[in-house]
Structures are given as C-alpha cells and as structure tokens.
C-alpha cells in the first residue's frame, strides 16, 4: 500500500491539506492523481497565521505545493477491509458516498465556519 | 548493520514509532506505515510535539500523508538518551502559551531592529522576514 493509494482510498472524505507556504485547506477530497494533484469541495482556506479565512465551493491544488495531508482515522480501517475482500469481482465496492467524518478535522471546519464570510 | 541505499533504507523503519522533523521546524512522532519512491510517508497515531526551551507538550494529530520533500530527518528515539536529555513534559496549554509569548517577543525585537535600521537611513529588507517560503 503506497501513500498515494491511501489518498485514493480517502476520496469523498474530509481532510486537511497544508501547503508549503503554511496555508491550510479543509475540504472533502473529490479527486487525486499520481502527482498528488487534488480537487477539494466545500473548502475553507486558512491563512498562514490562522487569522484569515476564505470559503470556496471547490478548489484545485497542485501536488508539488503540498506539505502534508491529514486524513480521518477511519481510512486505515477501510484499507484493512479492502485488503481482506477477495480481488477481481470489481463490483460491490461498498461504503461509497460521504463518510461521516469524526474528530478534530471536522471540529475545526465547524469552528472555521463561524468565522468565515 | 547494513543499510539499503538511499530512500530504500526507510523500508527498515516501517511500523516503528519514529520522530520526524519537517522543514518548517515542526516535530511529529508516529508509526511509519508506508513509503514510496519519493519518500512520501504515511504516519499513524501521530502526535505533534511542541518544544519550548526544556519543556515539551504533545498534540494528537491522527494520520498524516507527508510529501517527502518536506522532511529534514527521521529516526527512532533512544529512550535511554531521551530520559537523560533534561527535557520534561508539561501541559500542552502551558507550552503553547509560552510559545506564543516567545513569538511575540521575537516579533517585538524584529520591529525594534527595523526601527533602528530606519533611523540610520537603512531600508530594512529581507533580513528580518522569518517567513520561509519555498
């Protein structure tokens, strides 16, 4: 399991992306590719100092500008399930859609909501 | 002990609890779960450790996917040496408060330096910008 495969597993889940310049982006992962380029939706951007906030419906982030991504804990469990499932049937890849995000990432975004706009 | 060349040496570190220092100066501690050819890392059950002087505090952070380019170093912590390092754990709120006041103090010093330079007819430039963009 490579880091980028884990990222692919996290599609449709909330995450926090910090760029090299210190800005952070909170949103749901829509898509990603082999260069770590990503699309997010329902995004809240936070300035480097954490004092300014911007809300945007979607955004694209070039992979090379990323410092790190923080993903919810349940992604690891999903990976375990996927590894146990017999390969090759191609169907019944359950648990799509929006996973109920838990934990700090979500708490943060609700906190940010009150500041933005 | 023999090491694999370059990034491949990280394979020996998988599933160990490692300390990682990033280019922005942050310290993370977590289980290294997987890596790739770019030394991108996945950390599990990660904590961020904030050091101020001889005190430190931890903040739980969960799972990280770190882009390899941002890593300065990583390695296992030697418990024995850590015990003798003189570092002591403190409540995280306390540590953060100290960090904040230290930052404010530094900011003030920079402002004063800037003022002093201006008074001498010099235009302060990049010298005191702490921001590290790369």
């Amino acid at each position: 399991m490579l880091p980028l495969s884990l990222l692919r597993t996290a599609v449709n889940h909330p995450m926090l992306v910090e760029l090299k310049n210190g800005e952070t982006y909170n949103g749901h992962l829509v898509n990603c590719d082999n260069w770590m380029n990503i699309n997010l939706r329902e995004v809240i951007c936070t300035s480097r100092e954490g004092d300014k906030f911007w809300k945007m419906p979607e955004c694209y982030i070039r992979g090379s500008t990323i410092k790190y991504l923080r993903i919810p804990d349940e992604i690891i469990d999903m990976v375990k399930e996927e590894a146990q499932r017999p390969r090759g049937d191609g169907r019944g890849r359950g648990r799509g859609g929006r996973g109920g995000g838990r934990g700090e990432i979500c708490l943060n975004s609700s906190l940010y909501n009150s500041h933005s706009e | 002990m023999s090491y694999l060349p370059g990034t491949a040496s990280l394979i020996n570190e998988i599933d160990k609890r490692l300390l990682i220092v990033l280019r922005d100066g942050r310290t993370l501690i977590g289980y290294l779960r997987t890596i790739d050819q770019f030394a991108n890392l996945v950390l599990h059950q990660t904590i961020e450790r904030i050091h101020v002087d001889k005190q430190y505090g931890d903040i739980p952070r969960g799972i990280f996917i770190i882009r390899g380019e941002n890593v300065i170093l990583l390695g296992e912590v030697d418990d024995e040496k850590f015990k003798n390092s003189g570092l002591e754990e403190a409540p995280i709120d306390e540590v953060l408060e100290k960090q904040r006041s230290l930052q404010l103090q530094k900011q003030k010093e920079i402002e004063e330096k800037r003022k002093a330079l201006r008074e001498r007819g010099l235009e302060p430039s990049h010298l005191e910008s702490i921001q590290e963009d790369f």
Side-chain angles (χ1 to χ4, degrees):
Chain A
M1 184 91 193
L2 298 168
L4 283 166
S5 328
L6 185 72
L7 186 58
R8 219 163 294 132
T9 318
V11 164
N12 283 321
H13 285 260
M15 59 180 57
L16 179 150
V17 183
E18 178 157 333
L19 305 191
K20 289 172 179 170
N21 67 15
E23 287 173 10
T24 59
Y25 290 78
N26 277 278
H28 286 70
L29 183 64
V30 174
N31 214 341
C32 63
D33 66 13
N34 287 336
W35 292 273
M36 213 185 269
N37 300 323
I38 57 171
N39 284 95
L40 296 176
R41 64 176 157 83
E42 295 152 45
V43 192
I44 292 157
C45 169
T46 308
S47 67
R48 179 191 174 83
E49 288 75 22
D51 54 353
K52 291 193 275 298
F53 306 92
W54 295 270
K55 213 172 158 183
M56 41 198 141
E58 58 197 8
C59 78
Y60 166 82
I61 298 173
R62 187 177 154 95
S64 65
T65 65
I66 294 172
K67 187 187 292 171
Y68 62 72
L69 309 109
R70 281 177 58 202
I71 61 176
D73 284 342
E74 43 290 7
I75 304 296
I76 291 269
D77 307 329
M78 289 171 59
V79 172
K80 280 179 197 152
E81 280 172 34
E82 221 150 279
Q84 281 164 6
R85 202 172 295 135
R87 287 169 184 264
D89 62 351
R91 283 170 175 264
R93 286 168 60 93
R95 298 204 52 174
R98 308 173 55 174
R102 157 174 74 82
E104 210 188 339
I105 295 180
C106 278
L107 277 176
N108 274 343
S109 44
S110 59
L111 188 122
Y112 290 163
N113 268 324
S114 59
H115 289 279
S116 53
E117 285 182 83
Chain B
M1 183 177 161
S2 73
Y3 287 96
L4 291 162
T7 307
S9 65
L10 292 176
I11 290 172
N12 298 321
E13 310 300 317
I14 279 178
D15 287 338
K16 288 185 190 164
R17 195 153 176 86
L18 301 179
L19 180 145
I20 290 96
V21 179
L22 300 182
R23 280 182 63 173
D24 63 5
R26 271 188 270 198
T27 307
L28 303 174
I29 299 172
Y31 292 100
L32 181 66
R33 292 307 186 198
T34 171
I35 60 162
D36 64 14
Q37 71 270 39
F38 308 111
N40 294 329
L41 313 173
V42 172
L43 295 183
H44 190 202
Q45 295 175 3
T46 315
I47 54 163
E48 180 174 348
R49 183 158 286 180
I50 315 263
H51 293 267
V52 178
D53 301 326
K54 285 278 173 192
Q55 286 186 324
Y56 69 85
D58 296 338
I59 311 170
R61 293 292 199 203
I63 303 171
F64 274 80
I65 303 175
I66 305 175
R67 233 180 123 82
E69 341 162 33
N70 303 294
V71 174
I72 288 183
L73 64 88
L74 60 88
E76 251 181 320
V77 176
D78 184 328
D79 283 333
E80 206 49 47
K81 283 186 183 154
F82 182 69
K83 269 181 214 147
N84 300 325
S85 65
L87 295 172
E88 57 173 53
E89 186 163 10
I92 184 62
D93 298 339
E94 236 173 73
V95 176
L96 286 172
E97 189 47 53
K98 267 193 183 170
Q99 193 188 38
R100 213 165 299 141
S101 61
L102 213 67
Q103 258 165 10
L104 283 175
Q105 193 191 322
K106 272 197 187 135
Q107 193 63 40
K108 229 168 109 186
E109 280 168 20
I110 287 167
E111 290 298 333
E112 277 166 14
K113 207 181 270 178
R114 204 174 276 182
K115 214 178 120 199
L117 280 168
R118 283 230 179 79
E119 281 165 3
R120 287 161 177 77
L122 296 163
E123 189 50 42
S125 59
H126 59 282
L127 277 171
E128 57 288 306
S129 74
I130 335 169
Q131 181 146 345
E132 188 200 351
D133 281 323
F134 42 84

